């Protein structure tokens, strides 16, 4: 523990990942770099915040791995020796799926070093104010009976009706039977679904870090980041795992909303509870 100053820089990352559900639309394509330095200017640690599924390596891999995030850390630490930590943000619908050229270790290296190379040279670092830290906890509870959930039951009937007009060998037919309906039926096998998680707001005065216990999508992540003018770093996959947090507009349209245990509208409510605690 020692006195430190914090400097913020923002980079754009291009060519390695995008919104896998809406490829031509927006996603968080930035990397926020918080560099902590001693009062003499010696770097202590780099905190990097970006948003992408860190899951490029294919299922044939049988080893534990940090995937391309691990390669990024090794690459950047090797340049100047400063320790690197990575905060993953709104990666619920953002991944390398549509742009990757393979699923082996060589591709993992290409990604980690390629993204890292875009973060080497400072852009416009500025010092951010760090006051006394305040911490706010927002508990979120998922608790419902799937068999009584009207939205879930309507979706089941809608998909079964759609199947009647599809060819059994079509991709849509396969997606509905092996994925969408399968996930709905899996939830309906439970009398009750109950999960609990905690979101946190760490307010440092000049910036805040928000943590959520789930994979959150671009729309909801943007609300958390852009509610006000204060620099906000979103740290997902934190303190538990409540599956995918999908916004109401895309719920029922994208894969993540079928596999998730969040009921319709619940993720928006969680984000609303967070935003009401901003100071």
């Amino acid at each position: 523990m020692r006195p430190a100053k914090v400097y913020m820089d923002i980079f754009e990352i291009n060519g390695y990942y995008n919104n896998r559900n809406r490829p031509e639309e927006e996603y968080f394509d930035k990397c926020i770099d918080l560099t902590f330095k001693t009062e003499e200017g010696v770097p202590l640690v780099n905190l990097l915040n970006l948003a992408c599924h860190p899951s490029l390596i294919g299922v044939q891999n049988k080893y534990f791995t940090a995937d391309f995030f691990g390669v990024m850390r090794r690459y950047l630490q090797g340049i100047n020796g400063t320790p690197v930590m990575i905060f993953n943000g709104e990666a619920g619908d953002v991944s390398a799926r549509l742009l990757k050229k393979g699923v082996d270790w060589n591709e993992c290296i290409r990604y980690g070093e390629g993204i890292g190379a875009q973060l080497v040279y400072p852009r416009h670092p500025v010092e951010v104010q760090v006051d006394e830290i305040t911490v706010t906890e927002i508990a979120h509870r998922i608790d419902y009976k799937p068999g009584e959930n009207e939205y879930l039951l309507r979706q089941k009937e809608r998909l079964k009706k759609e199947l009647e007009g599809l060819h059994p060998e079509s991709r849509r037919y396969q997606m509905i039977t092996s994925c969408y309906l399968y996930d709905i039926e899996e939830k309906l096998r439970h009398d009750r679904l109950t999960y609990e998680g905690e979101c946190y707001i760490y307010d440092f005065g000049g910036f805040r870090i928000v943590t959520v216990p789930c994979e959150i999508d671009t729309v909801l992540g943007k609300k958390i980041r852009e509610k006000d003018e204060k620099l906000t770093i979103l740290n997902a996959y934190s303190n538990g795992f409540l599956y995918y947090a999908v916004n109401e507009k895309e719920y029922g349209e994208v894969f993540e909303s079928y596999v998730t245990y969040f009921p319709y509208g619940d993720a928006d409510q969680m984000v609303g509870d967070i935003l009401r605690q901003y100071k």
Side-chain angles (χ1 to χ4, degrees):
M1 299 290 290
R2 68 185 75 178
K5 295 182 178 181
V6 185
Y7 297 84
M8 182 272 293
D9 207 351
I10 299 180
F11 301 82
E12 289 189 6
I13 300 178
N14 299 304
Y16 289 92
Y17 51 86
N18 61 3
N19 189 319
R20 64 189 184 191
N21 294 323
R22 295 179 284 111
E24 304 304 321
E25 297 184 35
E26 78 172 328
Y27 62 99
F28 187 67
D29 62 352
K30 306 292 190 294
C31 179
I32 299 174
D33 177 354
L34 287 184
T35 301
F36 288 72
K37 297 182 178 182
T38 67
E39 292 182 328
E40 295 75 31
V42 179
L44 295 169
V45 65
N46 285 100
L47 302 185
L48 302 179
N49 179 234
L50 64 161
C52 179
H53 268 79
S55 51
L56 185 147
I57 295 181
V59 295
Q60 76 277 4
N61 174 65
K62 303 299 181 181
Y63 297 95
F64 288 107
T65 173
D67 213 276
F68 71 86
F69 274 20
V71 177
M72 280 179 56
R73 291 182 65 245
R74 184 180 66 183
Y75 175 83
L76 292 168
Q77 288 176 176
I79 291 175
N80 56 26
T82 304
V84 172
M85 298 176 65
I86 298 177
F87 286 61
N88 202 5
E90 55 270 44
D93 50 8
V94 179
S95 75
R97 180 181 299 174
L98 303 179
L99 297 177
K100 63 187 178 183
K101 299 177 181 179
V103 292
D104 60 8
W105 183 244
N106 288 330
E107 184 69 350
C108 197
I109 293 174
R110 187 179 77 85
Y111 258 71
E113 294 185 352
I115 295 172
Q118 299 185 36
L119 309 176
V120 171
Y121 299 105
R123 297 296 177 87
H124 304 288
V126 296
E127 185 176 358
V128 292
Q129 186 67 32
V130 179
D131 301 322
E132 184 176 348
I133 302 171
T134 61
V135 182
T136 304
E137 177 183 338
I138 304 99
H140 188 74
R141 180 179 175 85
I142 294 174
D143 188 359
Y144 66 103
K145 297 179 179 179
E148 298 177 6
N149 186 279
E150 293 184 3
Y151 182 90
L152 199 61
L153 296 173
R154 286 199 307 270
Q155 283 294 92
K156 177 182 176 180
E157 294 306 313
R158 182 181 71 82
L159 290 171
K160 289 173 66 176
K161 184 69 174 178
E162 184 180 350
L163 283 177
E164 296 175 2
L166 296 175
H167 192 284
E169 295 184 3
S170 67
R171 174 170 172 77
R172 178 66 178 173
Y173 188 97
Q174 296 298 321
M175 287 296 294
I176 291 175
T177 54
S178 64
C179 180
Y180 302 158
L181 268 178
Y182 176 88
D183 289 326
I184 288 177
E185 293 287 1
E186 194 278 329
K187 284 190 272 288
L188 290 173
R189 283 194 288 269
H190 297 270
D191 293 330
R192 190 168 194 163
L193 290 175
T194 304
Y195 290 85
E196 294 183 357
E198 290 78 36
C199 308
Y200 289 91
I201 302 172
Y202 300 89
D203 197 316
F204 294 83
F207 68 97
R208 67 169 71 92
I209 295 174
V210 177
T211 74
V212 293
C214 52
E215 299 188 54
I216 191 167
D217 72 15
T218 295
V219 171
L220 296 176
K222 184 177 181 179
K223 289 183 178 180
I224 290 174
R225 289 187 186 272
E226 300 184 5
K227 168 67 174 177
D228 54 27
E229 296 301 315
K230 182 176 291 190
L231 173 67
T232 300
I233 294 176
L234 176 56
N235 185 16
Y237 307 80
S238 301
N239 305 309
F241 187 66
L242 302 181
Y243 291 80
Y244 288 97
V246 181
N247 69 87
E248 287 186 1
K249 184 177 180 180
E250 293 181 88
Y251 201 97
E253 300 298 326
V254 297
F255 155 79
E256 294 85 2
S257 65
Y258 288 97
V259 72
T260 187
Y261 279 9
F262 273 94
Y264 173 75
D266 195 65
D268 297 77
Q269 179 180 329
M270 180 189 73
V271 170
D273 291 341
I274 292 172
L275 298 182
R276 283 187 284 274
Q277 296 297 322
Y278 278 10
K279 298 176 182 179

